Amino acid sequence: MEHTATYLGLIPLFPLIGAVVIGLLHMLTCKNNPLPEKLYGALACIGPLLSFFLAVVVFVHLKGMPAEQRFLVHNVFTWFAVGDLHIDMGFLADPLSSLMLLFVTFIGSLIHIYSIGYMAKDQNFGKFFSYMNLFLGSMLILVLGSGPVVMFVGWEGVGLCSYLLISFWSEDTNNVLAGNKAFIVNRIGDLGFVLGMSYLFWAIGAGGFDYLSLKANAPTISPAIGIAVCLLLFVGACGKSAQIPLYVWLPDAMAGPTPVSALIHAATMVTAGVYMVARFSFLYSEFPVAGSVVAWVGILTALLSAIFGMFQKDIKKILAYSTVSQLGYMFAGVGVAAYSAGIFHVFTHAFFKALLFLGAGSVIYALHHEQDIWKMGGLKEKLPTTYKTMLIGALALAGFPLFSGFFSKDEILFSALATGHTGIWMIGVFVAGMTAYYTFRMIFLVFHGKPRVQKTFDHAHEPPAVMTIPLIILAVGAALAGVLNLPGIFGGKLIVSHWLAPSLIEHHPHMGIGAEVLAMIASVVAVVIGIYIAFKKFGQGAEEPEFKGFAKFGYYKFYVDEIYNAVFVQPYKGFGSVISRFIEPNVTDSHVRFSSWLYRKAGTAFKVFQVGYVRVYAIYMVIGLSLMSLFLSQSIN
Amino acid sequence: MIVPLTHLLLLASILFVLGLICVLIWRTNVIMLLIGIEIMLNAAMLVFVAGSHRWGAADGQIFALMIMAMTSAEVSLALAMVVYLHWRKKTVNIDEFRELKD
């Protein structure tokens, strides 16, 4: 099929068309006669499903090509051309983007289906799906973009949708503030991205500003600029993927509806930063210093957010911190130049984190919007499907052997060890234990023991099939996705790593098989200890502990938000008020006031001529005409 | 050429100045002002016709005809406004109408 490349443009187009159609229908009908939810649900799922179908077609097509030539480029039109800067609205499918494409459209479709159940009876049902489709379209542009500029279009698009969906229930001011926070923090990151992109263009952009040309020209870049570009791009990744110091928006983003948390703030959008670093692997692999910064920031984020995650009470906050923590792992992976390991963790994480969020969503749905885990308990009998699927998700997140998270996390940790980043490996193993602890703390408190609030427990009921079926599909994925990249010691062939190899520049480090086994045993031990402690403390049902000491410190996230508020937000506001109180009235406004004063004075001066007698005006006319005739007669002679 | 062009221009100038004096100084009655304006227009027409005769071109006469047509339209409008002004204030004295100043 030689037309496969032209499908690339259609993949983001379907959800975008869906967004426009649903949005218009909603705008026109929501006031008087709202359309049935089934219609919106069907319309919303068509776009993602068609995109998924085309993603499979593209994937199969790529698979049929020789490994070294596996890329398809489709330039839809020339967007703009200024001097050396020639930007096509182009799409690139290579092993990396096609893998992202597959799971983004697959999980996106499942979450759209799930949302039909979760958002039922919401008065802005149509608006929700319009935003969701818009998000998916932007995400696909981000993934498929053939160069940094097109990627940036999608990058901003997903940021916008994230903002719109976090503050979706805008009746509550807190939700709106959370949306604002996400948007502003993302802007700070985007500034880094734009600066990095500009530097990159300045350095090597003249030979073409798409990934393939940049990759070819990358060796000519000078080290200082190369490192600056890498770090600036990483600032952008920090913003979007919630790393230190810009991670603060993600836990607040849980204010949005739960399917949004699952799709945007766990499975797809937040992994965009990791994807971007992998996309620029040709730069990062040239400069290991920049890579080390990325890896250290990542692993410290993983540690810090795992600490926060251990003390949260809100089920979605726990999952949010676990997301930040797992993103930290991914950056640790791509930072030590194990790009395929990082991307593989993105892939497995998308399954089990989407699963956990959707499971949490069905718990919240069953308990009529109760999110405090200290008010749950014993839900195992009431919600059997949710329990089983979430347990699989939790095992995968904790990195329990043979579940998907185990293979991907282990490969990252092993790569860190093999490239000589022993510190990162040690922290990583420790965090793996903490992850297991807080994940099972949540599982035990929610599903085991005795119900803590009898009333909500009695009303709990399993959600409809439209919600449980996506859970089951994702659970299968979360359990088995690891098989795709089975390492050699399990008799596997690292299928995903080999698939990704043509897109990435990486060196597979080799250590003895003994070291690999030992590293694996270390992380397994950490995970088992974590689960065991959680079982001891919470397995048989526990009472909410006294709220003091380190637990309180951890619950309030080490007061980082307050520190940011004091160090950045308040001085900025103070600066603003100084400007509005002194600079603006005295400097800016004085110019405006001067010109208005000038015109008023001039008006007063000329007022004396306005006497009101028609005949006087006629005299003025005669004088004017005489002067004009005089002037004309002068110029004729 | 029986009448020289200079004489015609002189006559036209006298007519124009008379009309001007009528409008500017002499009268305050609106109808009289309109008559003054008509006199000035006639002076202008005379200059056109004289010029046309002097240079043997029809343009001036055509202009004179057009000014006549324009004048009749103008007078009909102006008289309607005079009626309206009289209806407003029971007077046609131009100096009574100075509301726009304030």
Side-chain angles (χ1 to χ4, degrees):
Chain A
M1 286 187 287
E2 66 269 32
H3 301 303
T4 316
T6 54
Y7 294 165
L8 293 178
L10 293 178
I11 293 175
L13 197 62
F14 284 131
L16 290 178
I17 291 175
V20 172
V21 170
I22 297 171
L24 284 177
L25 280 180
H26 177 73
M27 265 166 66
L28 294 176
T29 61
C30 68
K31 282 270 163 55
N32 302 319
N33 48 339
L35 297 174
E37 292 186 353
K38 277 190 180 136
L39 175 70
Y40 283 128
L43 278 176
C45 294
I46 290 173
L49 286 171
L50 281 175
S51 299
F52 173 62
F53 172 71
L54 286 184
V56 173
V57 171
V58 168
F59 185 82
V60 170
H61 184 75
L62 283 177
K63 203 166 167 7
M65 293 161 85
E68 290 312 309
Q69 295 157 19
R70 272 182 190 151
F71 59 87
L72 292 170
V73 182
H74 179 52
N75 289 327
V76 184
F77 55 87
T78 300
W79 186 9
F80 57 85
V82 184
D84 287 337
L85 185 62
H86 184 92
I87 303 296
D88 283 321
M89 198 58 177
F91 299 107
L92 165 74
D94 66 348
L96 177 59
S97 57
S98 68
L99 182 73
M100 289 289 285
L101 203 58
L102 266 187
F103 81 78
V104 166
T105 49
F106 178 66
I107 292 178
S109 305
L110 284 181
I111 293 178
H112 273 78
I113 294 168
Y114 175 93
S115 307
I116 297 174
Y118 190 86
M119 297 303 287
K121 301 194 181 67
D122 193 285
Q123 72 183 88
N124 286 321
F125 195 80
K127 188 165 95 176
F128 178 82
F129 280 105
S130 175
Y131 289 167
M132 286 288 267
N133 267 345
L134 182 62
F135 166 78
L136 202 66
S138 311
M139 185 72 202
L140 292 171
I141 291 177
L142 191 162
V143 170
L144 277 175
S146 68
V149 179
V150 180
M151 180 196 230
F152 191 66
V153 174
W155 188 271
E156 290 298 294
V158 293
L160 169 70
C161 293
S162 160
Y163 162 75
L164 290 172
L165 285 164
I166 292 169
S167 38
F168 182 73
W169 285 317
S170 53
E171 297 85 7
D172 186 349
T173 317
N174 286 333
N175 296 347
V176 179
L177 288 177
N180 280 351
K181 187 173 176 183
F183 201 67
I184 292 166
V185 173
N186 266 300
R187 273 297 76 65
I188 298 170
D190 292 345
L191 182 66
F193 192 146
V194 172
L195 286 176
M197 214 158 65
S198 317
Y199 255 140
L200 188 64
F201 173 71
W202 179 68
I204 53 170
F209 205 51
D210 53 274
Y211 297 126
L212 298 175
S213 322
L214 288 173
K215 191 173 178 178
N217 292 330
T220 61
I221 198 166
S222 74
I225 292 170
I227 291 172
V229 169
C230 286
L231 293 180
L232 283 169
L233 289 176
F234 181 57
V235 170
C238 277
K240 188 94 347 191
S241 298
Q243 297 298 294
I244 289 174
L246 301 177
Y247 68 91
V248 288
W249 67 271
L250 187 57
D252 286 21
M254 297 302 127
T258 306
V260 172
S261 311
L263 178 62
I264 300 183
H265 305 117
T268 53
M269 183 191 87
V270 289
T271 59
V274 185
Y275 171 72
M276 191 253 277
V277 174
R279 194 82 268 189
F280 284 100
S281 63
F282 52 85
L283 274 183
Y284 283 91
S285 54
E286 293 268 324
F287 307 108
V289 186
S292 294
V293 173
V294 173
W296 274 103
V297 169
I299 203 71
L300 289 177
T301 309
L303 178 64
L304 190 67
S305 51
I307 295 173
F308 297 159
M310 294 198 302
F311 300 109
Q312 297 303 309
K313 289 197 285 196
D314 183 330
I315 185 168
K316 284 180 74 182
K317 284 270 165 80
I318 297 172
L319 290 174
Y321 279 112
S322 77
T323 305
V324 179
S325 182
Q326 299 302 308
L327 289 167
Y329 271 119
M330 296 167 200
F331 277 107
V334 293
V336 300
Y339 302 104
S340 60
I343 290 294
F344 184 52
H345 199 50
V346 169
F347 178 70
T348 58
H349 176 258
F351 279 97
F352 61 71
K353 193 52 66 66
L355 167 63
L356 283 169
F357 263 114
L358 295 187
S362 70
V363 170
I364 296 167
Y365 179 88
L367 299 182
H368 301 287
H369 294 272
E370 177 57 71
Q371 303 197 359
D372 188 342
I373 52 170
W374 289 107
K375 296 194 173 124
M376 301 173 184
L379 289 170
K380 182 164 66 159
E381 297 133 38
K382 287 275 189 175
L383 309 170
T385 315
T386 309
Y387 169 65
K388 282 175 208 145
T389 50
M390 267 189 95
L391 188 64
I392 293 171
L395 287 167
L397 169 61
F400 197 78
L402 306 182
F403 285 86
S404 60
F406 169 72
F407 295 108
S408 51
K409 188 189 291 181
D410 212 61
E411 205 181 317
I412 289 174
L413 292 178
F414 176 68
S415 306
L417 187 63
T419 50
H421 295 84
T422 320
I424 289 177
W425 177 75
M426 279 161 62
I427 298 176
V429 171
F430 185 63
V431 173
M434 288 162 74
T435 310
Y437 167 78
Y438 66 68
T439 312
F440 276 87
R441 169 177 175 264
M442 176 188 81
I443 290 285
F444 288 139
L445 286 178
V446 172
F447 291 106
H448 290 254
K450 292 199 171 56
R452 291 184 182 77
V453 179
Q454 197 64 40
K455 189 166 153 273
T456 49
F457 178 80
D458 290 338
H459 289 290
H461 54 91
E462 190 83 84
V466 73
M467 289 169 74
T468 49
I469 289 170
L471 283 178
I472 295 166
I473 297 173
L474 284 171
V476 173
L480 301 179
V483 178
L484 292 175
N485 210 26
L486 220 52
I489 49 171
F490 286 96
K493 290 201 188 109
L494 290 167
I495 301 169
V496 174
S497 298
H498 285 299
W499 170 254
L500 289 174
S503 302
L504 305 167
I505 296 184
E506 65 177 350
H507 319 283
H508 286 283
H510 285 288
M511 285 180 95
I513 201 142
E516 200 167 338
V517 171
L518 274 177
M520 203 168 274
I521 288 172
S523 54
V524 170
V525 168
V527 168
V528 170
I529 291 175
I531 297 177
Y532 178 72
I533 297 174
F535 179 73
K536 273 306 236 191
K537 281 176 81 172
F538 309 108
Q540 269 80 33
E543 286 310 306
E544 187 167 1
E546 218 178 317
F547 193 52
K548 63 176 167 86
F550 192 73
K552 192 175 176 187
F553 194 51
Y555 177 72
Y556 285 113
K557 309 146 223 169
F558 296 179
Y559 301 100
V560 169
D561 277 343
E562 284 73 11
I563 293 168
Y564 278 9
N565 189 34
V567 176
F568 298 108
V569 179
Q570 292 309 330
Y572 190 74
K573 281 186 178 167
F575 180 62
S577 77
V578 165
I579 287 191
S580 78
R581 211 167 295 158
F582 301 108
I583 312 270
E584 195 174 305
N586 298 330
V587 180
T588 326
D589 285 1
S590 66
H591 290 87
V592 181
R593 274 203 299 274
F594 172 72
S595 58
S596 79
W597 173 87
L598 190 72
Y599 283 110
R600 212 175 301 128
K601 283 285 155 198
T604 324
F606 285 114
K607 212 166 79 178
V608 297
F609 293 106
Q610 303 288 325
V611 290
Y613 292 102
V614 177
R615 294 188 302 165
V616 177
Y617 297 138
I619 291 175
Y620 296 157
M621 238 162 87
V622 171
I623 294 172
L625 281 171
S626 315
L627 288 175
M628 222 153 89
S629 314
L630 203 64
F631 175 75
L632 277 176
S633 62
Q634 289 293 316
S635 61
I636 284 170
N637 295 335
Chain B
M1 184 89 209
I2 303 161
V3 188
L5 181 68
T6 348
H7 292 195
L8 284 170
L9 289 181
L10 206 63
L11 176 63
S13 306
I14 291 166
L15 270 177
F16 189 84
V17 170
L18 284 176
L20 200 62
I21 290 169
C22 172
V23 171
L24 295 186
I25 304 161
W26 209 298
R27 295 302 180 114
T28 56
N29 189 319
V30 180
I31 294 174
M32 286 311 189
L33 297 189
L34 285 174
I35 292 174
I37 291 170
E38 289 306 310
I39 291 170
M40 286 193 282
L41 281 167
N42 280 324
M45 267 194 285
L46 189 57
V47 174
F48 269 120
V49 174
S52 161
H53 186 75
R54 164 74 176 74
W55 283 285
D59 311 27
Q61 301 198 20
I62 293 169
F63 252 103
L65 284 171
M66 290 191 62
I67 289 173
M68 276 181 214
M70 193 271 296
T71 316
S72 54
E74 176 236 314
V75 165
S76 61
L77 264 178
L79 286 176
M81 276 152 76
V82 171
V83 171
Y84 179 71
L85 289 176
H86 186 258
W87 179 73
R88 284 277 305 272
K89 284 199 169 178
K90 300 287 172 225
T91 175
V92 284
N93 184 342
I94 192 77
D95 291 344
E96 295 291 316
F97 298 98
R98 348 180 10 204
E99 282 87 351
L100 267 181
K101 198 226 168 181
D102 303 315

